[in-house]
Amino acid sequence: MLKIAKLGNPILRKIAAPVDPREIKSREMQRLIDDMFETMYDEPGIGLAAPQVFRSIQLVVMGCKGEDGFPETVLINPSIVYYGPDQVENWEGCLSVDGLRGKVTRPSLVRVNALDRKGKPLDFEATGLFAVCIQHELDHLIGKLFLDRMTDLSTLTQLEEFQQYWQKQPASVV
Ligand code: ZN
């Protein structure tokens, strides 16, 4: 299991370096991807970015089973090439920010370009929870946290109070 960098750790505020595509298939990179999935599921979370495990590189893993879920996804050197016109508000949490939830408004649709764990180019659109997770994770690659994206800090809520007063739908902990 990998150790998770917590709020205040400078690595969470750094711009992550691109991955050399020739290194994607290396044993070390494949091992890191596997370890990140294992750590994410263990926490549990639905997404994890490499800077959260002290690697300042452009790599994220995501996955969420269930009705609102999305498939296991690895994004390397990702970029969002299109944002849909509609905005949607969701509760978010973060494995690097213990015990807090907050409402964040983001575009409801994104189109993403990236490489997968085999180095193959990806080009796809995402909506719903998947789109939220992608935007949250890609923010980690530019040193941003969901707290920076909150426009109304009055929704910032501790976990117990979130569960007591606000949890109608599960928060995305990424
Ligand atoms: Zn996060």
Side-chain angles (χ1 to χ4, degrees):
M1 229 53 77
L2 302 169
K3 187 174 153 55
I4 298 211
K6 299 292 180 175
L7 181 65
N9 194 301
I11 199 161
L12 294 174
R13 296 307 190 172
K14 285 179 68 176
I15 307 284
V19 174
D20 182 341
R22 292 169 299 183
E23 281 171 20
I24 293 174
K25 286 185 175 170
S26 71
R27 191 172 299 179
E28 281 154 314
M29 188 66 66
Q30 295 297 316
R31 173 86 193 271
L32 174 61
I33 292 167
D34 289 339
D35 289 349
M36 284 174 64
F37 270 120
E38 204 172 320
T39 303
M40 179 187 87
Y41 287 125
D42 184 65
E43 283 288 332
I46 63 171
L48 187 63
Q52 293 182 277
V53 291
F54 298 90
R55 308 292 184 93
S56 194
I57 58 172
Q58 294 179 22
L59 161 67
V60 307
V61 304
M62 291 174 279
C64 181
K65 297 190 177 86
E67 205 178 312
D68 288 335
F70 47 86
E72 273 194 359
T73 304
V74 175
L75 301 179
I76 295 168
N77 301 344
S79 57
I80 294 174
V81 296
Y82 173 76
Y83 290 95
D86 299 326
Q87 304 278 317
V88 62
E89 191 177 60
N90 284 284
W91 287 97
E92 293 186 28
C94 181
L95 297 178
S96 295
V97 182
D98 287 340
L100 290 178
R101 300 288 181 269
K103 275 188 179 177
V104 182
T105 301
R106 299 185 189 269
S108 62
L109 179 150
V110 290
R111 183 172 164 192
V112 180
N113 286 357
L115 300 175
D116 72 7
R117 69 179 297 168
K118 291 176 177 163
K120 206 181 79 189
L122 299 173
D123 182 346
F124 64 96
E125 284 187 355
T127 59
L129 186 60
F130 197 17
V132 172
C133 187
I134 287 168
Q135 292 175 79
H136 179 118
E137 294 312 326
L138 266 59
D139 271 353
H140 277 300
L141 305 183
I142 55 166
K144 294 275 183 204
L145 300 170
F146 80 92
L147 300 166
D148 309 322
R149 300 296 189 196
M150 290 180 67
T151 49
D152 180 2
L153 283 172
S154 73
T155 65
L156 196 59
T157 301
Q158 299 207 142
L159 189 55
E160 213 170 289
E161 282 65 27
F162 174 74
Q163 287 161 346
Q164 185 174 351
Y165 297 108
W166 303 104
Q167 189 159 40
K168 291 180 184 88
Q169 69 276 60
S172 326
V173 183
V174 282

